[in-house]
Protein backbone atom coordinates (compact mmCIF):
# COMPACT_ATOMS: atom_id res chain seq x y z
CA UNK A 1 0.00 0.00 0.00
CA UNK A 2 2.91 2.32 0.70
CA UNK A 3 4.26 1.66 -2.80
CA UNK A 4 0.86 2.13 -4.41
CA UNK A 5 0.34 5.40 -2.52
CA UNK A 6 3.71 6.57 -3.86
CA UNK A 7 2.77 5.43 -7.37
CA UNK A 8 -0.46 7.45 -7.14
CA UNK A 9 1.16 10.62 -5.79
CA UNK A 10 4.21 10.86 -8.07
CA UNK A 11 2.37 11.45 -11.39
CA UNK A 12 0.05 14.01 -9.81
CA UNK A 13 2.96 15.96 -8.31
CA UNK A 14 4.87 15.92 -11.60
CA UNK A 15 2.01 16.64 -14.02
CA UNK A 16 -0.09 19.15 -12.06
CA UNK A 17 2.74 21.03 -10.36
CA UNK A 18 6.34 20.41 -11.42
CA UNK A 19 5.59 20.31 -15.14
CA UNK A 20 4.39 23.94 -14.94
CA UNK A 21 7.71 24.99 -13.40
CA UNK A 22 9.43 23.59 -16.49
CA UNK A 23 7.02 25.37 -18.84
CA UNK A 24 7.35 28.66 -16.97
CA UNK A 25 11.15 28.50 -17.03
CA UNK A 26 11.30 28.04 -20.81
CA UNK A 27 8.95 30.99 -21.40
CA UNK A 28 5.61 29.36 -22.14
CA UNK A 29 2.82 31.90 -21.65
CA UNK A 30 0.73 31.60 -18.49
CA UNK A 31 -2.44 31.43 -20.59
CA UNK A 32 -1.04 28.37 -22.35
CA UNK A 33 0.00 26.84 -19.00
CA UNK A 34 -3.55 27.46 -17.79
CA UNK A 35 -5.03 25.57 -20.74
CA UNK A 36 -2.52 22.75 -20.37
CA UNK A 37 -3.55 22.42 -16.71
CA UNK A 38 -6.91 21.16 -18.03
CA UNK A 39 -5.26 17.74 -18.18
CA UNK A 40 -6.30 17.74 -14.51
CA UNK A 41 -9.87 17.17 -15.69
CA UNK A 42 -8.83 13.52 -16.04
CA UNK A 43 -8.98 13.31 -12.26
CA UNK A 44 -12.36 15.08 -12.16
CA UNK A 45 -13.94 12.78 -14.77
CA UNK A 46 -12.31 9.48 -13.80
CA UNK A 47 -15.55 8.00 -12.46
CA UNK A 48 -16.81 7.91 -16.06
CA UNK A 49 -14.53 5.04 -17.07
CA UNK A 50 -14.36 3.46 -13.60
CA UNK A 51 -16.93 0.79 -14.64
CA UNK A 52 -14.64 -0.19 -17.53
CA UNK A 53 -11.64 -0.54 -15.20
CA UNK A 54 -13.76 -2.61 -12.84
CA UNK A 55 -15.27 -4.91 -15.46
CA UNK A 56 -12.86 -5.32 -18.39
CA UNK A 57 -10.26 -8.13 -18.20
CA UNK A 58 -7.02 -7.12 -19.91
CA UNK A 59 -5.52 -9.55 -22.44
CA UNK A 60 -2.31 -11.22 -21.19
CA UNK A 61 -2.10 -9.01 -18.08
CA UNK A 62 -5.30 -10.46 -16.58
CA UNK A 63 -3.27 -13.36 -15.17
CA UNK A 64 -1.78 -10.86 -12.67
CA UNK A 65 -5.23 -10.17 -11.18
CA UNK A 66 -8.13 -7.82 -11.87
CA UNK A 67 -6.56 -4.83 -10.04
CA UNK A 68 -2.84 -5.47 -10.50
CA UNK A 69 -3.29 -5.89 -14.26
CA UNK A 70 -4.73 -2.37 -14.60
CA UNK A 71 -2.20 -0.87 -12.17
CA UNK A 72 0.72 -2.37 -14.09
CA UNK A 73 -0.68 -1.21 -17.44
CA UNK A 74 -1.02 2.35 -16.12
CA UNK A 75 2.50 2.29 -14.71
CA UNK A 76 3.86 1.17 -18.09
CA UNK A 77 2.01 4.06 -19.80
CA UNK A 78 3.22 6.53 -17.15
CA UNK A 79 6.83 5.40 -17.56
CA UNK A 80 6.56 5.81 -21.31
CA UNK A 81 4.79 9.15 -20.87
CA UNK A 82 7.49 10.62 -18.64
CA UNK A 83 10.12 9.32 -21.04
CA UNK A 84 8.26 10.90 -23.95
CA UNK A 85 8.06 14.26 -22.16
CA UNK A 86 11.81 14.05 -21.54
CA UNK A 87 12.38 13.64 -25.30
CA UNK A 88 10.03 16.47 -26.35
CA UNK A 89 10.88 20.17 -26.46
CA UNK A 90 7.82 22.13 -25.20
CA UNK A 91 8.97 25.33 -26.89
CA UNK A 92 9.25 23.77 -30.34
CA UNK A 93 6.42 21.22 -30.02
CA UNK A 94 3.92 22.26 -27.36
CA UNK A 95 1.14 20.29 -29.12
CA UNK A 96 2.81 16.85 -28.93
CA UNK A 97 4.07 17.76 -25.46
CA UNK A 98 0.47 18.43 -24.33
CA UNK A 99 -0.73 15.14 -25.84
CA UNK A 100 1.91 13.21 -23.90
CA UNK A 101 0.98 15.07 -20.70
CA UNK A 102 -2.71 14.27 -21.23
CA UNK A 103 -2.00 10.57 -21.86
CA UNK A 104 0.07 10.45 -18.67
CA UNK A 105 -2.66 12.25 -16.67
CA UNK A 106 -5.31 9.87 -18.03
CA UNK A 107 -3.15 6.88 -17.06
CA UNK A 108 -2.58 8.40 -13.61
CA UNK A 109 -6.31 8.91 -13.01
CA UNK A 110 -7.01 5.35 -14.22
CA UNK A 111 -4.32 4.01 -11.90
CA UNK A 112 -6.03 5.84 -9.01
CA UNK A 113 -9.29 4.02 -9.81
CA UNK A 114 -7.58 0.62 -9.67
CA UNK A 115 -5.54 1.46 -6.55
CA UNK A 116 -8.61 2.73 -4.66
CA UNK A 117 -10.47 -0.46 -5.55
CA UNK A 118 -7.44 -2.60 -4.58
CA UNK A 119 -7.25 -0.90 -1.16
CA UNK A 120 -10.89 -1.75 -0.43
CA UNK A 121 -10.63 -5.30 -1.87
CA UNK A 122 -7.60 -6.50 0.09
CA UNK A 123 -8.53 -4.92 3.43
CA UNK A 124 -9.09 -7.46 6.22
CA UNK A 125 -9.01 -7.63 10.01
CA UNK A 126 -5.22 -7.40 10.17
CA UNK A 127 -4.98 -4.62 7.54
CA UNK A 128 -8.14 -2.53 7.84
CA UNK A 129 -9.17 -0.12 5.12
CA UNK A 130 -8.56 2.76 7.57
CA UNK A 131 -4.99 1.60 8.17
CA UNK A 132 -4.36 1.07 4.45
CA UNK A 133 -5.81 4.53 3.68
CA UNK A 134 -3.46 6.15 6.21
CA UNK A 135 -0.45 4.28 4.80
CA UNK A 136 -1.54 5.26 1.29
CA UNK A 137 -1.59 8.94 2.27
CA UNK A 138 1.90 8.57 3.77
CA UNK A 139 3.17 7.13 0.47
CA UNK A 140 1.35 9.88 -1.43
CA UNK A 141 3.04 12.61 0.64
CA UNK A 142 6.47 11.02 0.13
CA UNK A 143 5.79 11.08 -3.61
CA UNK A 144 4.82 14.77 -3.36
CA UNK A 145 8.26 15.49 -1.91
CA UNK A 146 10.03 13.40 -4.58
CA UNK A 147 7.97 14.75 -7.50
CA UNK A 148 7.99 18.28 -6.13
CA UNK A 149 10.90 19.24 -3.89
CA UNK A 150 13.43 16.68 -5.14
CA UNK A 151 12.51 17.28 -8.79
CA UNK A 152 13.01 21.04 -8.38
CA UNK A 153 16.33 20.56 -6.62
CA UNK A 154 17.48 18.22 -9.38
CA UNK A 155 16.33 20.71 -12.04
CA UNK A 156 18.66 23.29 -10.50
CA UNK A 157 21.53 20.92 -11.19
CA UNK A 158 20.52 19.18 -14.43
CA UNK A 159 18.17 19.76 -17.36
CA UNK A 160 14.40 19.31 -17.09
CA UNK A 161 14.41 16.46 -19.64
CA UNK A 162 16.97 14.63 -17.48
CA UNK A 163 14.74 15.11 -14.41
CA UNK A 164 11.69 13.60 -16.15
CA UNK A 165 13.82 10.77 -17.54
CA UNK A 166 14.92 10.00 -13.99
CA UNK A 167 11.29 10.07 -12.81
CA UNK A 168 10.46 7.59 -15.58
CA UNK A 169 13.07 5.25 -14.09
CA UNK A 170 11.53 5.69 -10.62
CA UNK A 171 8.08 4.92 -12.05
CA UNK A 172 9.43 1.80 -13.73
CA UNK A 173 10.96 0.63 -10.43
CA UNK A 174 7.53 0.83 -8.74
CA UNK A 175 6.34 -1.93 -11.09
CA UNK A 176 8.26 -4.35 -8.84
CA UNK A 177 5.82 -3.47 -6.05
CA UNK A 178 2.89 -4.23 -8.35
CA UNK A 179 4.32 -7.60 -9.35
CA UNK A 180 4.75 -8.55 -5.66
CA UNK A 181 1.33 -7.34 -4.48
CA UNK A 182 -1.60 -9.67 -3.67
CA UNK A 183 -4.92 -9.42 -5.49
CA UNK A 184 -8.50 -10.67 -5.15
CA UNK A 185 -10.64 -12.67 -7.61
CA UNK A 186 -13.32 -11.02 -9.70
CA UNK A 187 -16.65 -10.74 -7.90
CA UNK A 188 -20.01 -11.67 -9.31
CA UNK A 189 -22.41 -8.95 -10.43
CA UNK A 190 -25.49 -11.09 -9.80
CA UNK A 191 -26.75 -8.86 -6.98
CA UNK A 192 -26.48 -5.73 -9.14
CA UNK A 193 -28.43 -7.33 -12.00
CA UNK A 194 -30.98 -8.75 -9.58
CA UNK A 195 -31.58 -5.27 -8.10
CA UNK A 196 -32.01 -3.55 -11.47
CA UNK A 197 -34.18 -6.42 -12.74
CA UNK A 198 -36.60 -6.37 -9.79
CA UNK A 199 -40.29 -5.54 -10.15
CA UNK A 200 -40.87 -1.78 -10.09
CA UNK A 201 -37.44 -0.89 -11.48
CA UNK A 202 -37.12 0.91 -14.81
CA UNK A 203 -37.24 -1.16 -17.96
CA UNK A 204 -33.92 -1.70 -19.75
CA UNK A 205 -34.92 0.54 -22.69
CA UNK A 206 -35.81 3.41 -20.32
CA UNK A 207 -32.52 3.01 -18.47
CA UNK A 208 -30.67 2.91 -21.79
CA UNK A 209 -32.33 6.15 -22.95
CA UNK A 210 -31.41 8.00 -19.75
CA UNK A 211 -27.89 6.61 -19.81
CA UNK A 212 -27.47 7.63 -23.47
CA UNK A 213 -28.34 11.26 -22.67
CA UNK A 214 -25.88 11.33 -19.75
CA UNK A 215 -23.06 9.78 -21.77
CA UNK A 216 -23.79 12.04 -24.76
CA UNK A 217 -23.64 15.17 -22.61
CA UNK A 218 -20.37 14.07 -21.01
CA UNK A 219 -18.91 13.17 -24.42
CA UNK A 220 -19.83 16.59 -25.81
CA UNK A 221 -18.15 18.32 -22.86
CA UNK A 222 -14.94 16.27 -23.15
CA UNK A 223 -14.74 16.75 -26.93
CA UNK A 224 -15.41 20.49 -26.60
CA UNK A 225 -12.65 20.97 -24.04
CA UNK A 226 -10.24 18.69 -25.91
CA UNK A 227 -10.76 20.36 -29.30
CA UNK A 228 -10.23 23.82 -27.80
CA UNK A 229 -7.01 22.66 -26.12
CA UNK A 230 -5.80 21.39 -29.50
CA UNK A 231 -6.61 24.75 -31.16
CA UNK A 232 -4.71 26.67 -28.48
CA UNK A 233 -1.70 24.39 -28.25
CA UNK A 234 -1.43 23.64 -31.99
CA UNK A 235 -2.72 26.73 -33.82
CA UNK A 236 -3.34 26.51 -37.54
CA UNK A 237 -0.52 27.93 -39.70
CA UNK A 238 -1.11 31.57 -40.61
CA UNK A 239 -3.85 32.11 -38.02
CA UNK A 240 -4.01 35.81 -37.19
CA UNK A 241 -5.39 35.62 -33.66
CA UNK A 242 -4.98 32.73 -31.22
CA UNK A 243 -8.15 31.43 -29.57
CA UNK A 244 -9.10 33.33 -26.41
CA UNK A 245 -9.36 31.23 -23.26
CA UNK A 246 -11.52 33.89 -21.61
CA UNK A 247 -13.99 33.92 -24.51
CA UNK A 248 -14.15 30.12 -24.57
CA UNK A 249 -14.74 29.87 -20.83
CA UNK A 250 -17.35 32.63 -20.94
CA UNK A 251 -19.18 31.10 -23.90
CA UNK A 252 -18.72 27.36 -23.39
CA UNK A 253 -17.81 27.07 -19.70
CA UNK A 254 -21.40 27.37 -18.37
CA UNK A 255 -22.61 24.82 -20.94
CA UNK A 256 -19.85 22.42 -19.92
CA UNK A 257 -21.03 22.66 -16.31
CA UNK A 258 -24.62 22.12 -17.50
CA UNK A 259 -23.60 19.07 -19.54
CA UNK A 260 -21.52 17.50 -16.79
CA UNK A 261 -23.62 18.36 -13.74
CA UNK A 262 -27.13 19.59 -14.56
CA UNK A 263 -28.04 17.13 -17.32
CA UNK A 264 -27.08 14.01 -15.30
CA UNK A 265 -29.12 15.26 -12.33
CA UNK A 266 -32.10 16.01 -14.58
CA UNK A 267 -31.92 12.46 -15.96
CA UNK A 268 -31.73 11.14 -12.39
CA UNK A 269 -34.82 13.18 -11.46
CA UNK A 270 -36.67 11.80 -14.51
CA UNK A 271 -35.74 8.27 -13.42
CA UNK A 272 -37.20 8.95 -9.97
CA UNK A 273 -40.35 10.46 -11.48
CA UNK A 274 -40.96 7.50 -13.80
CA UNK A 275 -40.56 5.00 -10.96
CA UNK A 276 -42.83 7.02 -8.65
CA UNK A 277 -45.60 7.17 -11.29
CA UNK A 278 -45.09 3.53 -12.25
CA UNK A 279 -44.29 4.30 -15.89
CA UNK A 280 -41.83 2.28 -17.97
CA UNK A 281 -41.21 -0.05 -15.03
CA UNK A 282 -40.87 -3.84 -14.93
CA UNK A 283 -44.08 -5.73 -14.24
CA UNK A 284 -42.12 -8.92 -13.56
CA UNK A 285 -38.55 -9.69 -12.59
CA UNK A 286 -35.93 -9.91 -15.33
CA UNK A 287 -33.85 -12.99 -15.94
CA UNK A 288 -30.10 -13.11 -16.36
CA UNK A 289 -28.94 -10.23 -18.60
CA UNK A 290 -26.94 -10.56 -21.79
CA UNK A 291 -23.29 -9.50 -21.81
CA UNK A 292 -24.11 -6.11 -23.38
CA UNK A 293 -26.96 -5.44 -20.99
CA UNK A 294 -24.76 -6.52 -18.08
CA UNK A 295 -22.20 -3.85 -18.96
CA UNK A 296 -25.01 -1.30 -19.44
CA UNK A 297 -26.40 -2.20 -16.01
CA UNK A 298 -23.00 -1.62 -14.44
CA UNK A 299 -22.56 1.77 -16.13
CA UNK A 300 -26.12 2.79 -15.19
CA UNK A 301 -25.47 1.75 -11.58
CA UNK A 302 -22.25 3.77 -11.58
CA UNK A 303 -23.48 6.99 -13.24
CA UNK A 304 -27.26 7.36 -12.95
CA UNK A 305 -28.46 5.32 -9.96
CA UNK A 306 -26.27 7.15 -7.37
CA UNK A 307 -27.47 10.53 -8.69
CA UNK A 308 -31.08 9.34 -8.67
CA UNK A 309 -30.77 8.34 -5.00
CA UNK A 310 -29.12 11.67 -4.13
CA UNK A 311 -31.75 13.71 -5.98
CA UNK A 312 -34.58 11.74 -4.37
CA UNK A 313 -33.18 12.09 -0.85
CA UNK A 314 -32.20 15.77 -1.05
CA UNK A 315 -35.05 17.03 -3.21
CA UNK A 316 -34.69 20.72 -4.13
CA UNK A 317 -31.77 20.91 -1.68
CA UNK A 318 -29.61 19.16 -4.27
CA UNK A 319 -29.20 22.56 -6.00
CA UNK A 320 -27.61 24.05 -2.89
CA UNK A 321 -25.47 20.95 -2.32
CA UNK A 322 -24.13 20.99 -5.87
CA UNK A 323 -23.46 24.74 -5.69
CA UNK A 324 -21.56 24.14 -2.45
CA UNK A 325 -19.45 21.35 -3.98
CA UNK A 326 -18.69 23.17 -7.24
CA UNK A 327 -17.53 26.39 -5.56
CA UNK A 328 -16.08 25.36 -2.19
CA UNK A 329 -12.45 25.07 -3.33
CA UNK A 330 -12.71 27.77 -6.00
CA UNK A 331 -10.56 30.46 -4.38
CA UNK A 332 -7.47 28.22 -4.15
CA UNK A 333 -8.08 25.75 -6.99
CA UNK A 334 -7.96 28.51 -9.59
CA UNK A 335 -4.32 29.40 -9.13
CA UNK A 336 -2.70 26.14 -7.99
CA UNK A 337 -1.23 25.40 -11.44
CA UNK A 338 0.56 28.77 -11.48
CA UNK A 339 2.32 28.44 -8.12
CA UNK A 340 5.72 27.43 -9.54
CA UNK A 341 5.77 30.06 -12.32
CA UNK A 342 4.77 32.65 -9.69
CA UNK A 343 7.53 31.67 -7.26
CA UNK A 344 10.26 31.05 -9.83
CA UNK A 345 9.63 33.48 -12.69
CA UNK A 346 7.78 36.39 -11.06
CA UNK A 347 9.33 36.44 -7.58
CA UNK A 348 12.67 34.97 -8.76
CA UNK A 349 13.20 32.49 -5.95
CA UNK A 350 15.64 29.69 -6.67
CA UNK A 351 14.48 26.15 -7.32
CA UNK A 352 16.03 25.01 -4.04
CA UNK A 353 14.19 27.71 -2.09
CA UNK A 354 10.85 26.85 -3.71
CA UNK A 355 11.45 23.14 -3.25
CA UNK A 356 12.00 23.58 0.48
CA UNK A 357 9.24 26.15 1.06
CA UNK A 358 6.53 24.61 -1.09
CA UNK A 359 7.19 20.88 -1.10
CA UNK A 360 8.84 20.19 2.27
CA UNK A 361 7.83 22.96 4.68
CA UNK A 362 4.49 23.33 2.85
CA UNK A 363 3.59 19.64 3.15
CA UNK A 364 4.17 19.71 6.90
CA UNK A 365 1.99 22.82 7.14
CA UNK A 366 -0.72 21.01 5.18
CA UNK A 367 -0.55 18.11 7.64
CA UNK A 368 -0.83 20.63 10.49
CA UNK A 369 -3.88 22.16 8.79
CA UNK A 370 -5.48 18.72 8.39
CA UNK A 371 -4.90 17.98 12.09
CA UNK A 372 -6.24 21.39 13.08
CA UNK A 373 -9.30 20.83 10.89
CA UNK A 374 -10.02 17.56 12.68
CA UNK A 375 -9.66 19.29 16.07
CA UNK A 376 -11.96 22.16 15.07
CA UNK A 377 -14.50 19.71 13.69
CA UNK A 378 -14.60 17.94 17.06
CA UNK A 379 -14.69 21.16 19.10
CA UNK A 380 -16.84 23.49 16.99
CA UNK A 381 -18.92 21.08 14.93
CA UNK A 382 -19.35 20.43 11.24
CA UNK A 383 -20.69 23.66 9.75
CA UNK A 384 -18.62 26.17 11.77
CA UNK A 385 -15.50 24.33 10.56
CA UNK A 386 -16.83 24.16 7.00
CA UNK A 387 -17.49 27.91 7.10
CA UNK A 388 -13.95 28.58 8.32
CA UNK A 389 -12.69 26.38 5.50
CA UNK A 390 -14.50 28.60 3.01
CA UNK A 391 -13.32 31.90 4.51
CA UNK A 392 -9.65 31.28 5.32
CA UNK A 393 -8.38 30.36 1.81
CA UNK A 394 -9.93 33.54 0.39
CA UNK A 395 -7.71 35.62 2.72
CA UNK A 396 -4.80 33.50 1.52
CA UNK A 397 -5.28 35.01 -1.93
CA UNK A 398 -4.99 38.49 -0.41
CA UNK A 399 -1.76 37.37 1.24
CA UNK A 400 -0.39 36.26 -2.13
CA UNK A 401 -1.49 39.55 -3.69
CA UNK A 402 0.63 41.31 -1.05
CA UNK A 403 3.52 38.95 -1.81
CA UNK A 404 3.20 39.80 -5.52
CA UNK A 405 3.25 43.54 -4.70
CA UNK A 406 6.36 43.39 -2.51
CA UNK A 407 5.16 41.79 0.73
CA UNK A 408 4.72 45.00 2.78
CA UNK A 409 1.89 43.60 4.94
CA UNK A 410 3.73 40.31 5.48
CA UNK A 411 6.90 42.22 6.47
CA UNK A 412 4.92 44.32 8.98
CA UNK A 413 3.37 41.16 10.46
CA UNK A 414 6.81 39.55 10.79
CA UNK A 415 8.17 42.64 12.61
CA UNK A 416 5.20 43.02 14.99
CA UNK A 417 5.10 39.34 15.95
CA UNK A 418 8.86 38.96 16.24
CA UNK A 419 8.91 36.22 13.60
CA UNK A 420 11.34 38.29 11.56
CA UNK A 421 13.89 38.36 14.40
CA UNK A 422 13.55 34.61 14.91
CA UNK A 423 14.03 34.05 11.17
CA UNK A 424 17.15 36.23 11.20
CA UNK A 425 18.55 34.26 14.09
CA UNK A 426 17.96 31.03 12.17
CA UNK A 427 19.73 32.39 9.10
CA UNK A 428 16.68 33.11 6.93
CA UNK A 429 16.59 36.38 4.98
CA UNK A 430 13.54 38.64 4.65
CA UNK A 431 12.50 37.37 1.20
CA UNK A 432 12.53 33.74 2.32
CA UNK A 433 10.58 34.62 5.48
CA UNK A 434 7.88 36.24 3.33
CA UNK A 435 7.54 33.11 1.22
CA UNK A 436 7.45 30.78 4.22
CA UNK A 437 4.78 32.86 5.97
CA UNK A 438 2.58 32.99 2.88
CA UNK A 439 2.89 29.25 2.27
CA UNK A 440 2.38 28.53 5.98
CA UNK A 441 -0.94 30.38 6.03
CA UNK A 442 -2.18 29.00 2.71
CA UNK A 443 -1.36 25.37 3.43
CA UNK A 444 -2.85 25.44 6.94
CA UNK A 445 -5.99 27.14 5.57
CA UNK A 446 -6.39 24.66 2.71
CA UNK A 447 -5.67 21.76 5.11
CA UNK A 448 -8.56 22.91 7.31
CA UNK A 449 -10.76 23.40 4.23
CA UNK A 450 -9.91 19.96 2.87
CA UNK A 451 -10.68 18.23 6.17
CA UNK A 452 -13.99 20.09 6.47
CA UNK A 453 -14.94 19.23 2.91
CA UNK A 454 -14.20 15.51 3.33
CA UNK A 455 -16.32 15.46 6.48
CA UNK A 456 -19.17 17.30 4.75
CA UNK A 457 -19.22 15.08 1.64
CA UNK A 458 -19.00 11.98 3.84
CA UNK A 459 -22.14 13.15 5.63
CA UNK A 460 -24.03 13.72 2.36
CA UNK A 461 -23.39 10.39 0.62
CA UNK A 462 -25.63 7.38 1.08
CA UNK A 463 -24.30 4.20 2.66
CA UNK A 464 -25.72 2.30 -0.31
CA UNK A 465 -23.60 4.27 -2.80
CA UNK A 466 -20.76 5.42 -0.55
CA UNK A 467 -17.82 4.83 -2.91
CA UNK A 468 -19.51 5.98 -6.12
CA UNK A 469 -21.22 9.08 -4.70
CA UNK A 470 -18.09 10.14 -2.85
CA UNK A 471 -15.93 9.73 -5.97
CA UNK A 472 -18.45 11.69 -8.04
CA UNK A 473 -18.99 14.56 -5.60
CA UNK A 474 -15.31 14.93 -4.67
CA UNK A 475 -14.34 14.91 -8.36
CA UNK A 476 -16.81 17.70 -9.19
CA UNK A 477 -15.08 19.92 -6.61
CA UNK A 478 -12.28 20.59 -9.10
CA UNK A 479 -14.45 21.03 -12.21
CA UNK A 480 -15.08 24.79 -12.07
CA UNK A 481 -11.60 25.53 -10.72
CA UNK A 482 -9.90 23.51 -13.44
CA UNK A 483 -11.92 25.17 -16.20
CA UNK A 484 -11.25 28.58 -14.66
CA UNK A 485 -7.49 28.12 -14.73
CA UNK A 486 -7.41 28.95 -18.42
CA UNK A 487 -9.03 32.33 -17.69
CA UNK A 488 -6.74 32.81 -14.69
CA UNK A 489 -3.65 32.23 -16.84
CA UNK A 490 -4.81 34.74 -19.43
CA UNK A 491 -5.64 37.23 -16.68
CA UNK A 492 -2.19 36.82 -15.08
CA UNK A 493 -0.62 37.61 -18.47
CA UNK A 494 -2.85 40.65 -18.99
CA UNK A 495 -3.18 42.22 -15.53
CA UNK A 496 -0.40 40.77 -13.37
CA UNK A 497 -0.55 38.61 -10.27
CA UNK A 498 -1.66 41.15 -7.63
CA UNK A 499 -4.98 42.27 -9.18
CA UNK A 500 -5.93 38.71 -10.17
CA UNK A 501 -5.22 37.36 -6.67
CA UNK A 502 -7.53 40.02 -5.23
CA UNK A 503 -10.23 39.07 -7.72
CA UNK A 504 -9.83 35.41 -6.75
CA UNK A 505 -10.35 36.36 -3.11
CA UNK A 506 -13.80 37.65 -4.11
CA UNK A 507 -14.60 34.17 -5.44
CA UNK A 508 -14.60 33.10 -1.81
CA UNK A 509 -17.81 35.12 -1.31
CA UNK A 510 -19.62 32.65 -3.58
CA UNK A 511 -18.47 29.58 -1.65
CA UNK A 512 -19.21 31.25 1.72
CA UNK A 513 -22.74 32.05 0.50
CA UNK A 514 -23.41 28.43 -0.45
CA UNK A 515 -22.08 27.26 2.94
CA UNK A 516 -24.52 29.59 4.70
CA UNK A 517 -27.42 28.38 2.51
CA UNK A 518 -26.54 24.73 3.16
CA UNK A 519 -26.15 25.33 6.89
CA UNK A 520 -29.61 26.93 6.98
CA UNK A 521 -31.09 24.05 4.93
CA UNK A 522 -29.69 21.35 7.20
CA UNK A 523 -30.67 23.28 10.35
CA UNK A 524 -34.23 23.57 9.04
CA UNK A 525 -34.38 19.81 8.42
CA UNK A 526 -32.98 19.08 11.89
CA UNK A 527 -35.54 21.38 13.54
CA UNK A 528 -38.35 19.70 11.63
CA UNK A 529 -37.09 16.26 12.65
CA UNK A 530 -36.86 17.39 16.30
CA UNK A 531 -40.48 18.62 16.27
CA UNK A 532 -41.66 15.34 14.74
CA UNK A 533 -39.77 13.40 17.39
Amino acid sequence: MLGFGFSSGLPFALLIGTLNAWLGEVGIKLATIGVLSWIGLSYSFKFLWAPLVDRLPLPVLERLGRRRSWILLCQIVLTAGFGGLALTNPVAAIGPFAVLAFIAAFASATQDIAIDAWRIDVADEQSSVELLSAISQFGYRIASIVGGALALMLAARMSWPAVFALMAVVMAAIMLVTLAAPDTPRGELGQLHETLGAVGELRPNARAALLFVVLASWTWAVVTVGSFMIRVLSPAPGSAKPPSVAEFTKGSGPWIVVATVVVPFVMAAIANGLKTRGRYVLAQAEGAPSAVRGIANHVYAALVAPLAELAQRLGAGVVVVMGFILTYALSYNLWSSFAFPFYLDHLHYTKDQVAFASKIFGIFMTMLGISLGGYLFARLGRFPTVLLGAILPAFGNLLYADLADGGHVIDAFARVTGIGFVADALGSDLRMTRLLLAICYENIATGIAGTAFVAYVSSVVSRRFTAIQYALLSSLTFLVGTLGRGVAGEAFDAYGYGPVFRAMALAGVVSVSFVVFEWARVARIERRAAKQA
Side-chain angles (χ1 to χ4, degrees):
M1 189 71 264
L2 184 69
F4 282 166
F6 185 93
S7 183
S8 177
L10 184 64
F12 189 87
L14 288 172
L15 297 170
I16 306 302
T18 306
L19 187 71
N20 296 324
W22 180 2
L23 297 176
E25 183 178 297
V26 296
I28 302 298
K29 290 183 178 180
L30 293 177
T32 303
I33 294 176
V35 172
L36 189 55
S37 73
W38 286 354
I39 64 173
L41 288 171
S42 300
Y43 298 93
S44 297
F45 294 164
K46 64 185 179 182
F47 61 88
L48 283 175
W49 59 92
L52 184 67
V53 176
D54 188 56
R55 284 281 294 161
L56 182 65
L58 292 173
V60 182
L61 292 177
E62 175 66 13
R63 68 185 65 179
L64 293 175
R66 60 172 178 164
R67 307 304 184 197
R68 286 199 303 159
S69 58
W70 278 95
I71 294 171
L72 184 65
L73 174 64
C74 293
Q75 290 171 343
I76 292 171
V77 174
L78 284 166
T79 300
F82 294 156
L85 290 171
L87 296 174
T88 306
N89 182 353
V91 177
I94 188 63
F97 191 88
V99 171
L100 287 169
F102 171 76
I103 292 172
F106 184 86
S108 175
T110 305
Q111 179 188 228
D112 287 353
I113 296 170
I115 288 176
D116 288 339
W118 182 90
R119 181 176 66 249
I120 296 170
D121 288 344
V122 303
D124 53 26
E125 292 182 0
Q126 285 73 35
S127 301
S128 66
V129 69
E130 292 82 8
L131 175 62
L132 292 178
S133 297
I135 293 173
S136 174
Q137 283 299 304
F138 189 59
Y140 195 96
R141 297 301 175 185
I142 294 173
S144 296
I145 295 174
V146 173
L150 181 61
L152 283 175
M153 291 177 178
L154 290 173
R157 294 157 176 82
M158 62 177 69
S159 67
W160 279 110
V163 171
F164 271 76
L166 181 60
M167 292 301 158
V169 173
V170 173
M171 200 73 221
I174 301 174
M175 295 182 197
L176 298 175
V177 175
T178 306
L179 294 174
D183 210 335
T184 54
R186 290 192 176 274
E188 296 295 331
L189 291 177
Q191 186 177 359
L192 166 66
H193 302 316
E194 184 178 339
T195 300
L196 291 178
V199 175
E201 291 292 328
L202 289 179
R203 295 176 189 169
N205 57 348
R207 293 199 304 266
L210 296 173
L211 184 59
F212 173 79
V213 174
V214 172
L215 291 177
S217 64
W218 277 100
T219 300
W220 174 84
V222 172
V223 170
T224 300
V225 172
S227 60
F228 180 76
M229 288 181 66
I230 292 172
R231 292 202 305 272
V232 171
L233 300 173
S234 300
S239 56
K241 182 182 177 183
S244 169
V245 180
E247 291 177 4
F248 172 81
T249 306
K250 181 180 178 181
S252 300
W255 292 110
I256 291 171
V257 175
V258 167
T260 54
V261 180
V262 178
V263 170
F265 268 102
V266 169
M267 294 302 103
I270 291 174
N272 290 335
L274 292 175
K275 289 173 65 175
T276 301
R277 293 194 297 270
R279 300 186 62 186
Y280 300 103
V281 298
L282 294 168
Q284 59 183 15
E286 264 190 325
S290 63
V292 174
R293 184 175 294 176
I295 294 175
N297 283 351
H298 198 84
V299 177
Y300 181 88
L303 297 184
V304 180
L307 296 181
E309 189 280 335
L310 198 64
Q312 184 178 37
R313 177 160 48 88
L314 298 178
V318 74
V319 176
V320 178
V321 171
M322 294 311 298
F324 176 106
I325 288 171
L326 287 170
T327 63
Y328 188 70
L330 191 60
S331 62
Y332 58 90
N333 266 345
L334 276 173
W335 90 279
S336 58
S337 291
F338 307 99
F340 284 154
F342 175 60
Y343 298 144
L344 295 169
D345 305 322
H346 181 75
L347 299 179
H348 303 295
Y349 287 98
T350 67
K351 293 185 179 72
D352 286 351
Q353 289 173 326
V354 174
F356 171 76
S358 179
K359 292 302 180 181
I360 297 178
F361 175 78
I363 286 177
F364 284 110
M365 291 302 101
T366 300
M367 292 179 178
L368 176 61
I370 292 171
S371 303
L372 185 58
Y375 173 78
L376 292 173
F377 194 85
R379 295 287 295 178
L380 302 180
R382 179 175 53 172
F383 277 106
T385 307
V386 169
L387 185 60
L388 275 175
I391 294 172
L392 293 177
F395 284 103
N397 279 313
L398 296 179
L399 204 61
Y400 274 93
D402 178 63
L403 191 62
D405 295 338
H408 306 295
V409 175
I410 299 175
D411 291 348
F413 175 81
R415 286 195 300 270
V416 170
T417 59
I419 292 176
F421 297 108
V422 175
D424 288 340
L426 294 175
S428 175
D429 60 20
L430 181 60
R431 290 184 72 251
M432 192 63 181
T433 303
R434 288 176 194 160
L435 181 63
L436 291 175
L437 284 174
I439 287 177
C440 175
Y441 178 90
E442 186 208 22
N443 286 26
I444 291 176
T446 54
I448 293 172
T451 302
F453 180 79
V454 168
Y456 167 78
V457 173
S458 299
S459 70
V460 170
V461 300
S462 164
R463 289 184 179 274
R464 180 183 171 195
F465 297 106
T466 301
I468 296 174
Q469 285 184 352
Y470 186 86
L472 174 64
L473 296 179
S474 60
S475 295
L476 291 178
T477 311
F478 303 99
L479 177 61
V480 176
T482 303
L483 287 173
R485 286 174 194 159
V487 179
E490 200 167 89
F492 282 137
D493 278 333
Y495 305 109
Y497 282 97
V500 178
F501 277 130
R502 283 184 279 272
M504 287 181 184
L506 291 176
V509 176
V510 179
S511 59
V512 169
S513 300
F514 274 112
V515 171
V516 173
F517 293 151
E518 176 63 1
W519 194 349
R521 185 190 73 86
V522 173
R524 188 166 55 251
I525 293 173
E526 291 175 347
R527 286 194 301 268
R528 190 182 306 128
K531 288 181 180 179
Q532 292 174 351

